Amino acid sequence: MAMADNTSDLAPISQSVGMPMLHKVIFVALLAVLTVLPFLVYPVFAMKVMCFALFAAAFNLLLGFGGLLSFGHAAYFGGASYVAAHAAKVWGFTPELAVLTGTAAAAVLGLLIGALAIRRQGIYFAMVTLAFAQMVYFFALQAEFTGGEDGIQSVPRGDLFGLISLQDNIALYFFVLAVTFGGILFLYRIVHSPFGQVLKAIRENEPRAVSLGYQVNRYKLLVFVLSATFAGLAGATKSQVFQLASLTDVHWSMSGEVVLMTLLGGMGTIFGPLVGAAVIVTMQNYLATLGAWVTIIQGVIFVLGVLLFREGIVGVLARWLKRPL
Amino acid sequence: MTTEERGTGSAGVALEAVGLTKEFKGFVAVNNVSLKVEKGTIHALIGPNGAGKTTCFNLLTKFLQPTRGKITYAGRDITRLAPAEIARLGMVRSFQISAVFADLTVLQNVRIALQRTRGESYDFWRSEKNLTRFDDEARSYVAEVGLSEFLNHRAAELSYGRKRALEIATTLALDPKMLLLDEPMAGMAQEDVERISTLIRRIGETRTILMVEHNLSVVADLSDRITVLARGEILAEGNYAEISKNPEVIDAYIGAGHE
């Protein structure tokens, strides 16, 4: 080998394919904790955390792995929430069908908005997504079936597959656990799929990907739609938990919150968004008595997070452990 | 490509530019450049700094849109095509700064190219285990450029010369008919230069190559034909013997050195 040698002392990356042992252990431990959680804490609170964890994980697919910052993800989360609530309440859909309908609506919305947004880059991309999300908000405020300021209230908790009543919080909890955990595992698969590999290449060096013949906009659109779809799955599920679809879900501050969760937990990591969502939702829940101070505390945490550990909680952990998390 | 097409220099034109012009807000970077790259040859485009080589290169690879002029590749008008479509026609470019996917391993870098031509690049529901079926082929390309011992290293960890070698391996994995290399030897140590020259010569045995170089001596014994560019225009064209004696070329190089 005639080349100037300065790399031979570096260790090669482990060659194993499939999910690393560490990730398997974390997922199994997480599932174990979540199985006993509803008997320890208020189940509705736990369900809220899980819905937001899925939402943040879906957002992270786009930001952390697609390299695209959307500032309008509330549109898919909230949009799906409205459609699922309407499907369950007015059309009398069973919970799983209502959730699927809401998710499908988010996918279609993602396709329409994504197709226009990916033509722009960076801050312009973010602005286009925000503008469309504001249009969705306006629609939710003005349209007939969305109930304006009231939203869609007292959505019935139907029978799962027409068989199992979800009136009981514990039964509902395990439905939500299955949906969100399944969703997060599917997102993990997307990141570690042939498509995920191309996505990584595009993020690393877009001109090179183009020169290899990749039509990068198609990949960006697909990741956008997938992200919107899973954000929708989270929103649709949340509407079944709270029996409510409200303007909060489509408000721009919801788009901001999911950015905060993802960055705080660690963007581009697997477990970061879950941690970020848990921290933010817990804080909102237990500090709720402080009223407007919650927003201020959130702001302070965000500023400290950006200043002190830019890689996020899980990002820092991963660096210490020298392993991807 | 059949044997009689190769190396004869008259087997036909791979890439042709006619009257290529690129203006940036009144400044003419490339002016009325016409160029023919014969099939199966190694053609070099050289010139002093600011001669418009890189602009010309970006025009030919469609990373820039020409103001005027026409480009044909294998008899097909490609003037209005997108860069990714050019690659799909079998004409693949390299970059001046080494273009590897830094966070992927050497093996994964090459697999990205194989994935594109064999499909599966949109499969988001499959496991990446499916990609291991490209491993044997990817390994053979990695071996061809002498990087086998770094197969599972991150590309970011490689030395500069090895990154270039990896880039070539990735390009070869697409099985391109034509390669466009942007200063493949720039910033390289002497050992690496020889290594990459050997590699380019071997690749050129079966493919058409157009390379942009700053330095005339580097391309001397590598190219079948040399086009010299100065101030955005073609100054001379011919083989090395002709070019190196051309007083205008000597003047342009020395002149540029004074400016």
Side-chain angles (χ1 to χ4, degrees):
Chain A
M1 196 99 347
M3 283 190 190
D5 207 318
N6 59 1
T7 55
S8 59
D9 54 342
L10 290 161
I13 287 170
S14 94
Q15 231 205 321
S16 71
V17 285
M19 199 189 281
M21 190 45 90
L22 182 62
H23 292 184
K24 270 184 197 151
V25 170
I26 294 174
F27 274 124
V28 170
L30 198 59
L31 190 60
V33 169
L34 289 173
T35 310
V36 294
L37 197 63
F39 306 103
L40 303 173
V41 303
Y42 182 45
V44 174
F45 164 69
M47 287 188 267
K48 187 178 176 186
V49 171
M50 292 192 295
C51 289
F52 276 99
L54 177 59
F55 184 27
F59 179 76
N60 185 45
L61 175 69
L62 188 65
L63 177 63
F65 298 99
L68 298 168
L69 172 62
S70 155
F71 207 76
H73 254 45
Y76 319 109
F77 182 76
S81 150
Y82 271 99
V83 172
H86 184 78
K89 191 178 177 181
V90 181
W91 297 335
F93 281 21
T94 52
E96 76 286 352
L97 277 182
V99 167
L100 279 179
T101 311
T103 308
V108 172
L109 202 55
L111 182 64
L112 295 176
I113 298 177
L116 293 164
I118 54 154
R119 291 155 195 264
R120 293 286 169 268
Q121 259 133 36
I123 191 72
Y124 302 102
F125 173 83
M127 287 299 116
V128 172
T129 55
L130 174 62
F132 280 109
Q134 287 303 94
M135 278 151 81
V136 172
Y137 175 81
F138 186 73
F139 180 82
L141 187 62
Q142 298 293 327
E144 195 74 22
F145 81 96
T146 54
E149 301 270 359
D150 299 330
I152 303 176
Q153 296 185 4
S154 50
V155 176
R157 283 187 185 175
D159 297 338
L160 187 63
F161 306 118
L163 299 168
I164 309 154
S165 166
L166 295 184
Q167 290 296 337
D168 177 34
N169 270 345
I170 297 295
L172 181 66
Y173 177 88
F174 283 99
F175 169 63
V176 172
L177 175 60
V179 169
T180 53
F181 204 81
I184 286 165
L185 283 180
F186 200 103
L187 286 165
Y188 184 93
R189 164 52 66 84
I190 293 173
V191 170
H192 298 94
S193 68
F195 170 70
Q197 192 80 189
V198 176
L199 217 50
K200 203 169 172 184
I202 293 173
R203 202 191 47 196
E204 290 280 311
N205 193 335
E206 186 171 329
R208 179 54 173 164
V210 170
S211 83
L212 292 179
Y214 280 107
Q215 284 150 330
V216 296
N217 272 357
R218 296 187 186 181
Y219 295 85
K220 288 183 181 176
L221 181 58
L222 181 54
V223 73
F224 194 94
V225 172
L226 288 169
S227 175
T229 305
F230 282 92
L233 180 63
T237 310
K238 181 177 167 279
S239 75
Q240 305 299 301
V241 174
F242 288 89
Q243 304 180 264
L244 170 76
S246 76
L247 287 175
T248 323
D249 299 339
V250 282
H251 196 249
W252 63 266
S253 61
M254 182 62 80
S255 301
E257 220 158 75
V258 76
V259 177
L260 174 63
M261 288 171 183
T262 307
L263 292 186
L264 184 67
M267 109 185 182
T269 64
I270 297 295
F271 301 101
L274 317 187
V275 172
V279 169
I280 297 290
V281 175
T282 308
M283 218 170 59
Q284 285 170 348
N285 210 56
Y286 289 99
L287 300 180
T289 47
L290 298 176
W293 283 96
V294 176
T295 339
I296 294 173
I297 294 169
Q298 255 182 34
V300 170
I301 288 184
F302 187 59
V303 170
L304 288 180
V306 169
L307 289 178
L308 299 177
F309 45 103
R310 218 175 279 181
E311 303 137 290
I313 298 166
V314 173
V316 169
L317 271 177
R319 184 153 50 86
W320 283 348
L321 294 172
K322 295 193 169 60
R323 298 234 179 113
L325 281 176
Chain B
M1 194 172 293
T2 57
T3 19
E4 64 268 310
E5 277 179 308
R6 190 183 303 158
T8 57
S10 59
V13 181
L15 181 69
E16 183 174 11
V18 180
L20 213 53
T21 300
K22 180 68 184 177
E23 293 170 3
F24 296 105
K25 290 184 180 155
F27 166 68
V28 185
V30 171
N31 190 13
N32 200 24
V33 165
S34 296
L35 189 71
K36 264 186 198 169
V37 182
E38 302 278 342
K39 258 183 205 162
T41 61
I42 300 180
H43 195 124
L45 187 63
I46 67 157
N49 284 328
K53 300 183 298 278
T54 298
T55 307
C56 193
F57 190 81
N58 283 331
L59 289 173
L60 292 172
T61 51
K62 308 305 304 133
F63 275 67
L64 280 177
Q65 202 52 250
T67 314
R68 275 185 299 282
K70 187 179 167 187
I71 307 165
T72 50
Y73 169 69
R76 184 176 162 174
D77 187 349
I78 60 164
T79 317
R80 299 284 146 201
L81 291 190
E85 291 172 303
I86 303 292
R88 285 162 177 263
L89 292 175
M91 183 168 116
V92 180
R93 71 166 286 179
S94 74
F95 292 83
Q96 215 172 91
I97 41 157
S98 73
V100 294
F101 303 114
D103 206 34
L104 303 185
T105 65
V106 167
L107 182 74
Q108 287 170 335
N109 263 275
V110 178
R111 271 198 332 211
I112 286 288
L114 294 172
Q115 230 180 307
R116 208 274 287 152
T117 48
R118 312 294 148 78
E120 279 210 0
S121 54
Y122 290 105
D123 295 4
F124 59 82
W125 61 92
R126 271 180 220 274
S127 164
E128 60 189 346
K129 280 179 201 162
N130 277 283
L131 295 175
T132 53
R133 62 195 183 83
F134 298 131
D135 283 2
D136 286 340
E137 203 181 340
R139 269 191 214 105
S140 73
Y141 287 112
V142 171
E144 209 178 323
V145 298
L147 288 178
S148 290
E149 56 176 310
F150 302 99
L151 206 59
N152 294 305
H153 282 75
R154 281 174 65 234
E157 293 170 358
L158 299 180
S159 70
Y160 186 74
R162 289 199 176 107
K163 277 186 187 143
R164 298 239 81 147
L166 172 58
E167 191 186 338
I168 290 175
T170 310
T171 304
L172 289 179
L174 292 174
D175 194 20
K177 295 185 193 73
M178 177 162 187
L179 276 82
L180 290 100
L181 309 174
D182 193 2
E183 300 203 22
M185 260 81 91
M188 230 177 244
Q190 193 51 42
E191 290 173 334
D192 288 354
V193 169
E194 277 158 29
R195 198 186 155 74
I196 297 294
S197 306
T198 314
L199 197 57
I200 290 173
R201 190 173 296 119
R202 205 170 76 230
I203 296 163
E205 284 168 12
T206 50
R207 296 177 176 87
T208 312
I209 294 179
L210 174 66
M211 55 190 282
V212 161
E213 256 304 330
H214 175 67
N215 207 327
L216 183 59
S217 64
V218 171
V219 297
D221 51 338
L222 203 56
S223 351
D224 301 308
R225 201 158 180 84
I226 298 169
T227 301
V228 185
L229 216 59
R231 294 194 183 88
E233 293 176 41
I234 290 181
L235 196 63
E237 196 176 309
N239 59 29
Y240 177 70
E242 295 158 11
I243 292 295
S244 59
K245 289 190 194 79
N246 187 317
E248 276 190 275
V249 174
I250 297 165
D251 216 43
Y253 265 87
I254 295 166
H258 282 297
E259 275 167 19

